[in-house]
């Protein structure tokens, strides 16, 4: 008697939010638009306001709202998976008990802070057999997928060099990495390169495929956001004691009150406040202990505001990456040089150019432009946030996943590049063996 293959899972995947921050809110929104695919059935967060936000958003009963992972794992397994968006320093310590309790996991990057933690997570995934996907959302953007396809087709020959740059705009820089919770490693657990740029080095690793690094070196430091760079006469607090507030590009009044769409939502989210009027916003910002109205030059940050990385690959190819915080405009730039051509583009411009060697053409080359704006539609992550959740659901349902599906094993190389770059920077740029 013949048998038919087992059908993929057709019911919705059930998931628990662990860490109800901004990223979890974005990922879990798929449950609101596509409840036939994903359902949020519980929440874990140390902050009661965040728990209440999730309870209302997903209509959760009180007994599905938890203050800690310990409380959750004390109960029988309640769902198929968790969406783990805790702070960077908590990723591994929260993931291990959840994986051992039988949950599959969508884990925000970075998956760990260093090689030691990373190995603990890798060992746990292998021992438990659980599925774990890391949130490398840029792999799902039409921009980088199209570039990878051009490289794979051999259109520019063998890759000789990749240069990538992440220009972190001054609005994002001032909110998240100077005044915000990612300004000090003691709070967030990770440095600027790991927090902001593990996406970029993962993309670099993904584009290089099986060609792994042999050595990595890096230099960087704090150039702009330090005490000695403060303008003469500047105060310590934008709205309370600074006579230069109106002419400063980092004015808290201008950024968070007069132009409320410029990352202001992050300020109110992170201070657990919901001001309705400008007067209420100003009153909050005038509070002496409000970090978001401090002078950006007197925030005593411990992360770098600029860094460069040099990678040498096993086949002799090279790559460079630079991060510059406080740029006038946010940009992700890429230039890939091959033996038969090159690719160069700007993620925010939603297009890239392919030049190919052609001695018969005017100038000795041909050029074409690939416009992917219709696919990215101006989305900050090119639609990657939603696409990675849908791929995670497909993975758990036994359906076909994307070729770039970033499992933990597939994410190791990019993360190790960041770990070693930081070791090199702290050692004055000394070369590190991969």
């Amino acid at each position: 008697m013949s048998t038919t293959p087992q059908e993929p899972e057709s019911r919705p995947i059930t998931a628990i939010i662990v860490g109800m921050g901004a990223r979890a809110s974005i990922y879990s929104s798929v449950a609101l638009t596509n409840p036939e695919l994903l359902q949020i059935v519980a929440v874990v967060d140390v902050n009661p306001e965040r728990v209440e936000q999730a309870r209302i958003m997903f209509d959760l009963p009180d007994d599905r709202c938890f203050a800690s992972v310990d409380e959750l794992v004390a109960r029988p397994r309640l769902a198929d998976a968790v969406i783990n968006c805790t702070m960077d320093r908590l990723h591994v310590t929260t993931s291990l008990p959840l994986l051992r309790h039988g949950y599959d996991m969508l884990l925000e990057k970075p998956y760990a802070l260093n090689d030691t933690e990373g190995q603990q997570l890798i060992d746990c995934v292998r021992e438990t057999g659980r599925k774990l996907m890391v949130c490398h959302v840029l792999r799902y953007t039409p921009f980088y997928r199209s570039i990878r396809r051009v490289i794979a087709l051999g259109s520019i020959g063998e890759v000789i060099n990749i240069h990538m740059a992440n220009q972190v705009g001054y609005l994002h820089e001032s909110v998240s990495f100077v005044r915000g919770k990612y300004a000090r490693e003691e709070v967030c657990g990770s440095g600027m390169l790991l927090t902001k740029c593990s996406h970029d080095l993962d993309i670099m690793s993904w584009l290089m495929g099986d060609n792994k690094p042999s050595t990595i070196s890096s230099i960087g430091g704090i150039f702009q956001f330090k005490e000695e760079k403060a303008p003469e006469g500047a105060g310590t607090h934008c709205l309370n004691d600074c006579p230069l507030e109106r002419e400063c590009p980092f004015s808290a009044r201008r950024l968070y009150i007069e132009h409320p769409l410029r990352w202001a939502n992050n300020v109110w989210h992170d201070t657990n406040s919901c001001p309705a009027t400008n007067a209420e916003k100003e009153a909050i910002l005038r509070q002496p202990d409000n970090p978001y109205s401090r002078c950006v030059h007197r925030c005593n940050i411990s992360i770098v505001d600029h860094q460069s990385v040099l990678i040498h690959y096993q086949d002799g190819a090279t790559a460079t990456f630079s991060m510059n915080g406080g740029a006038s405009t946010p940009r992700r730039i890429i230039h890939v040089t091959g033996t038969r051509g090159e690719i160069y583009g700007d993620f925010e411009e939603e297009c890239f150019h392919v030049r190919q060697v052609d001695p018969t053409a005017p100038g000795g080359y041909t050029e074409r432009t690939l416009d992917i704006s219709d696919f990215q539609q101006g989305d900050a992550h090119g639609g990657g946030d939603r696409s990675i959740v849908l791929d995670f659901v497909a993975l758990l349902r036994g359906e076909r996943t994307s070729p770039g599906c970033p499992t933990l094993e597939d994410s190791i190389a990019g993360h190790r590049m960041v770990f070693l770059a930081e070791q090199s920077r702290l050692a004055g740029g000394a070369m590190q063996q991969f």
Side-chain angles (χ1 to χ4, degrees):
M1 184 175 67
S2 63
T3 60
T4 57
Q6 185 176 352
E7 292 293 323
E9 186 71 65
S10 60
R11 65 175 178 81
I13 294 299
T14 55
I16 300 168
I17 298 171
V18 179
M20 185 60 184
R23 298 305 300 162
S25 298
I26 293 171
Y27 296 140
S28 61
S29 65
V30 172
L32 302 177
T33 59
N34 295 87
E36 77 282 3
L37 298 177
L38 179 68
Q39 293 181 359
I40 302 300
V41 299
V43 62
V44 180
D45 201 295
V46 296
N47 189 317
E49 285 83 3
R50 305 277 175 83
V51 171
E52 180 64 9
Q53 176 190 348
R55 189 189 67 79
I56 294 172
M57 185 180 297
F58 300 106
D59 193 24
L60 302 176
D62 290 341
D63 65 350
R64 294 297 181 94
C65 299
F66 303 93
S68 70
V69 167
D70 288 342
E71 286 185 14
L72 175 61
V73 297
R75 297 271 297 275
R77 189 163 66 93
L78 301 177
D80 301 306
V82 297
I83 300 173
N84 189 344
C85 293
T86 53
M87 288 292 286
D88 295 356
R89 60 184 171 81
L90 299 175
H91 283 180
V92 172
T93 56
T94 55
S95 294
L96 297 180
L98 291 166
L99 292 166
R100 289 168 180 150
H101 206 60
Y103 291 107
D104 293 318
M105 184 175 297
L106 181 64
L107 177 61
E108 182 56 68
K109 58 80 189 167
Y111 68 66
L113 300 183
N114 50 54
D115 270 328
T116 301
E117 275 198 355
Q119 193 59 53
Q120 291 177 342
L121 189 63
I122 293 165
D123 290 343
C124 184
V125 168
R126 289 171 178 168
E127 291 165 6
T128 61
R130 305 319 310 170
K131 298 180 178 69
L132 189 149
M133 184 185 291
V134 183
C135 291
H136 288 303
V137 296
L138 292 187
R139 290 193 184 197
Y140 289 83
T141 64
F143 181 82
Y144 290 114
R145 286 194 167 191
S146 299
I147 288 176
R148 189 172 189 266
R149 189 175 302 116
V150 171
I151 293 173
L153 289 172
S155 301
I156 62 168
E158 295 180 84
V159 174
I160 302 171
N161 176 267
I162 296 180
H163 172 68
M164 296 174 64
N166 189 334
Q167 299 287 97
V168 185
Y170 72 99
L171 301 173
H172 190 188
E173 176 76 15
S174 62
V175 170
S176 298
F177 305 106
V178 177
R179 290 168 167 154
K181 59 189 177 184
Y182 293 103
R184 300 193 61 79
E185 292 186 43
E186 305 91 288
V187 178
C188 69
S190 56
M192 182 73 169
L193 199 66
L194 189 58
T195 297
K196 185 72 178 78
C197 305
S198 51
H199 275 320
D200 303 276
L201 289 171
D202 175 74
I203 288 292
M204 184 181 288
S205 176
W206 188 48
L207 294 179
M208 294 299 280
D210 293 332
N211 190 13
K212 301 303 180 187
S214 57
T215 62
I216 293 176
S217 56
S218 179
I219 54 174
I222 305 172
F223 183 89
Q224 181 177 5
F225 300 101
K226 55 185 178 180
E227 183 85 20
E228 53 266 40
K229 293 290 185 177
E232 185 176 354
T236 61
H237 191 288
C238 274
L239 303 186
N240 290 346
D241 67 1
C242 186
L244 307 180
E245 178 263 324
R246 292 313 295 164
E247 60 192 71
C248 179
F250 299 103
S251 161
R253 184 194 308 278
R254 184 179 289 113
L255 298 187
Y256 316 138
I257 298 177
E258 295 176 1
H259 297 280
L261 298 182
R262 295 178 175 178
W263 292 89
N265 286 337
N266 292 59
V267 173
W268 313 130
H269 180 276
D270 290 343
T271 54
N272 298 312
S273 53
C274 300
T277 67
N278 284 351
E280 290 176 349
K281 294 175 182 177
E282 181 162 339
I284 292 170
L285 291 172
R286 282 189 178 278
Q287 295 171 359
D289 60 347
N290 190 311
Y292 291 98
S293 47
R294 293 175 298 168
C295 174
V296 293
H297 302 289
R298 308 186 197 279
C299 286
N300 194 30
I301 66 172
S302 63
I303 62 168
V304 301
D305 62 13
H306 71 293
Q307 187 166 354
S308 296
V309 183
L310 173 63
I311 304 109
H312 186 247
Y313 282 87
Q314 292 174 353
D315 72 345
T318 56
T320 55
F321 173 77
S322 62
M323 180 282 299
N324 299 294
S328 59
T329 56
R331 284 285 181 266
R332 277 189 161 103
I333 302 165
I334 185 169
H335 194 150
V336 185
T337 302
T339 55
R340 300 290 296 172
E342 57 191 292
I343 301 167
Y344 61 99
D346 183 321
F347 181 84
E348 277 69 25
E349 290 184 354
E350 301 184 328
C351 70
F352 63 91
H353 313 275
V354 181
R355 284 182 175 175
Q356 292 175 290
V357 173
D358 184 353
T360 67
Y365 65 90
T366 60
E367 181 172 348
R368 58 192 171 103
T369 298
L370 282 78
D371 185 338
I372 43 81
S373 57
D374 286 345
F375 302 99
Q376 296 204 164
Q377 299 179 338
D379 186 276
H381 284 159
D385 294 332
R386 175 178 172 81
S387 296
I388 198 169
V389 177
L390 295 177
D391 215 23
F392 180 63
V393 169
L395 178 68
L396 269 55
R397 284 161 57 112
E399 299 167 350
R400 184 176 181 179
T401 59
S402 162
C405 180
T407 62
L408 179 59
E409 293 282 349
D410 194 38
S411 300
I412 292 173
H415 274 75
R416 286 215 70 223
M417 288 163 67
V418 182
F419 299 155
L420 292 173
E422 272 299 274
Q423 289 180 28
S424 173
R425 182 185 70 83
L426 294 172
M431 185 179 294
Q432 305 292 310
Q433 296 292 326
F434 190 84

